[in-house]
Amino acid sequence: MSEKQYSMKEAMLFSQRIAQLSKALWKSIEKDWQQWLKPFDLNINEHHILWIAYHLNGASISDVAKFGVMHVSTAFNFSKKLEERGLLTFSKKENDKRNTYIQLTPEGEDIFLRLMESYHPSGNAAFVGALPLRDLYGKFPDIIEMMAIVRNIYGEDFMEIFERSFHNIETEFNENDGKLKKTEKTEQELS
């Protein structure tokens, strides 16, 4: 690490500013996220596990923990609850007996897709709070600085999965009648 080029006051102000803003933003995001999931009888960890399993087309419990930013035991326990509900299956790979893998069941994919369809931007305070910026600049904030901080904390693998999930939504979903729906693949694409 290079020689310190910042003051203690500058470091403390930045750390506290980001901590307090993150806490305030998380409080709002958490409330909205829980309201979105409530009709599906899911909590945030369970939804995050379904999200990761969908976008990775199956994942190890270690991957779920890493990309879901949760402890391995949390990832396993919530995945177990989803398995009991018939939304996930557990398996081991022939060449990797140490890791446990999860895969969405057809019911798990169905609930994930219904969740996507039920999203209403007006019920998301962070989205509504960003609308004036979109109106002013013609686009939503890129949040590049926050992404750089997260990349420096969690690494390139984390950001790769983060970006892949959003790329999947951009390419696999269309808006129909004000709802996000998975694009049906043609017979040619399936073969």
Side-chain angles (χ1 to χ4, degrees):
M1 197 163 152
S2 63
E3 186 178 323
K4 182 174 105 169
Q5 304 209 354
Y6 53 84
S7 70
M8 290 304 286
K9 184 188 281 187
E10 181 184 25
M12 192 278 296
L13 288 171
F14 171 79
S15 298
Q16 285 304 296
R17 185 172 282 130
I18 197 166
Q20 291 185 29
L21 288 172
S22 295
K23 184 175 184 197
L25 192 56
W26 173 246
K27 183 82 171 162
S28 173
I29 289 168
E30 182 180 38
K31 180 178 135 298
D32 294 343
W33 200 349
Q34 288 169 337
Q35 284 301 113
W36 178 36
L37 301 175
K38 193 175 188 175
F40 298 90
D41 194 29
L42 292 169
N43 65 40
I44 291 172
N45 283 329
E46 291 166 337
H47 178 249
H48 214 167
I49 291 166
L50 293 176
W51 177 278
I52 293 164
Y54 179 86
H55 290 290
L56 292 182
N57 194 20
S60 71
I61 293 293
S62 298
D63 287 341
V64 170
K66 180 177 181 180
F67 301 123
V69 193
M70 59 183 87
H71 192 274
V72 173
S73 65
T74 302
F76 181 82
N77 291 335
F78 281 108
S79 294
K80 200 74 178 146
K81 286 182 176 184
L82 292 167
E83 180 195 39
E84 290 166 6
R85 288 182 57 186
L87 304 177
L88 289 179
T89 58
F90 279 80
S91 65
K92 298 273 188 187
K93 290 192 175 175
E94 194 60 43
N95 60 347
D96 183 9
K97 297 288 187 194
R98 295 177 306 124
N99 286 311
T100 301
Y101 291 83
I102 59 167
Q103 184 78 39
L104 287 179
T105 63
E107 295 82 5
E109 183 170 353
D110 178 63
I111 202 169
F112 177 82
L113 295 175
R114 287 190 296 127
L115 261 162
M116 295 293 287
E117 287 181 30
S118 74
Y119 174 75
H120 295 290
S122 61
N124 187 294
F127 172 84
V128 172
L131 279 175
L133 293 170
R134 184 180 188 274
D135 293 344
L136 182 63
Y137 298 111
K139 66 180 190 131
F140 285 104
D142 290 326
I143 314 174
I144 290 172
E145 292 167 323
M146 185 180 297
M147 289 173 56
I149 292 167
V150 170
R151 175 179 281 111
N152 289 336
I153 294 169
Y154 291 102
E156 201 59 45
D157 285 353
F158 181 91
M159 293 308 293
E160 185 180 307
I161 298 305
F162 174 83
E163 290 296 341
R164 184 187 315 170
S165 68
F166 294 104
H167 174 77
N168 289 348
I169 291 170
E170 288 176 6
T171 60
E172 295 177 14
F173 289 82
N174 286 315
E175 185 176 335
N176 295 326
D177 300 323
K179 296 179 185 242
L180 284 179
K181 297 190 182 217
K182 186 170 182 176
T183 306
E184 298 294 324
K185 294 189 188 249
T186 64
E187 286 186 34
Q188 185 178 14
E189 290 175 312
L190 292 172
S191 53

